Amino acid sequence: VSNVENEVIHVACPCCRNKRLFDLMPGAIGIIQIKCPICRGVVAVSLHNYGKEGKTKIHTEQIGA
Ligand SMILES: [Zn+2]
């Protein structure tokens, strides 16, 4: 299978230098809560699709410690 849309997205932590908080499959939507293993911050990641190509827009913010 050859499909560029299958590339995973690396989501970085907004609180520390962790550039790979988790990997995301393109097309995923919704809100995910994840605890960063490095800074221990709880991060909310909200995902939205936009555009004809179905690109994923990512917003990350710390919601707790
Ligand atoms: Zn972090």
Side-chain angles (χ1 to χ4, degrees), residues 11-22 34 36 39 41-45 58-64:
V11 179
C13 178
C15 317
C16 70
R17 292 169 184 266
N18 184 1
K19 295 246 188 294
R20 200 168 176 184
L21 185 58
F22 71 104
I34 188 166
C36 177
C39 70
V42 179
V43 177
V45 184
I58 303 169
H59 176 75
T60 55
E61 69 177 307
Q62 184 176 13
I63 57 170

Side-chain angles (χ1 to χ4, degrees), residues 7-9 22 31 33-34 40 42 47 52 61 63:
E7 290 179 19
V8 298
I9 300 165
F22 71 104
I31 299 176
Q33 283 186 25
I34 188 166
R40 311 250 174 216
V42 179
L47 312 165
K52 291 177 182 173
E61 69 177 307
I63 57 170

